[in-house]
Amino acid sequence: LLVFGWPERYLRSLMSNAPVGLTAIVLGAALTEYLDQIEFNRWVEEAIVEYWKLLGYKVDSTPEEEKSSSSGEFYSSIFVLLVTGIWTFVLSVMVNAPTESLEKKEL
């Protein structure tokens, strides 16, 4: 703001874009809770082990053993990041799209 000055429609732009971020926060929290409830990380880890076995690799550890050593939520975090990123992108494009005039539609 010090370099470029105060934007003409700053408050209107802020108020139209604020719900995008707030809905992404709510979506991310709800999705994280749901994925934790269905044990998404364990499911992905088991699927990865089965995939590696299908490819012919020898897998020594099971997902249960790995979970005891590290209790992170890596796969659900990546999934939530992708979903909220797509959500935010689509809504931001919709909110910030210029309005078309009737003259342009007729052409």
Side-chain angles (χ1 to χ4, degrees), residues 49 55 65 71 82 89 102-103:
V49 168
L55 290 176
E65 293 172 2
S71 62
L82 289 172
F89 174 75
L102 293 175
E103 295 172 5

Side-chain angles (χ1 to χ4, degrees), residues 39-54:
E39 297 179 349
F40 181 75
N41 277 332
R42 187 172 57 109
W43 179 77
V44 171
E45 288 172 354
E46 289 172 359
I48 289 173
V49 168
E50 290 300 318
Y51 182 69
W52 281 103
K53 286 180 182 177
L54 183 67

Side-chain angles (χ1 to χ4, degrees), residues 88-104:
T88 303
F89 174 75
V90 169
L91 287 183
S92 295
V93 167
M94 290 172 55
V95 166
N96 296 319
T99 57
E100 292 185 32
S101 65
L102 293 175
E103 295 172 5
K104 288 183 181 178

Side-chain angles (χ1 to χ4, degrees), residues 63-106:
E64 289 82 19
E65 293 172 2
E66 291 176 11
K67 186 164 181 141
S68 65
S69 64
S70 65
S71 62
E73 299 288 326
F74 179 72
Y75 300 111
S76 61
S77 297
I78 295 295
F79 186 72
V80 169
L81 175 73
L82 289 172
V83 170
T84 56
I86 292 169
W87 174 265
T88 303
F89 174 75
V90 169
L91 287 183
S92 295
V93 167
M94 290 172 55
V95 166
N96 296 319
T99 57
E100 292 185 32
S101 65
L102 293 175
E103 295 172 5
K104 288 183 181 178
K105 287 184 180 180
E106 292 175 1

Side-chain angles (χ1 to χ4, degrees), residues 29-41:
L31 190 58
T32 301
E33 175 62 30
Y34 175 72
L35 293 176
D36 189 38
Q37 197 173 41
I38 65 169
E39 297 179 349
F40 181 75
N41 277 332

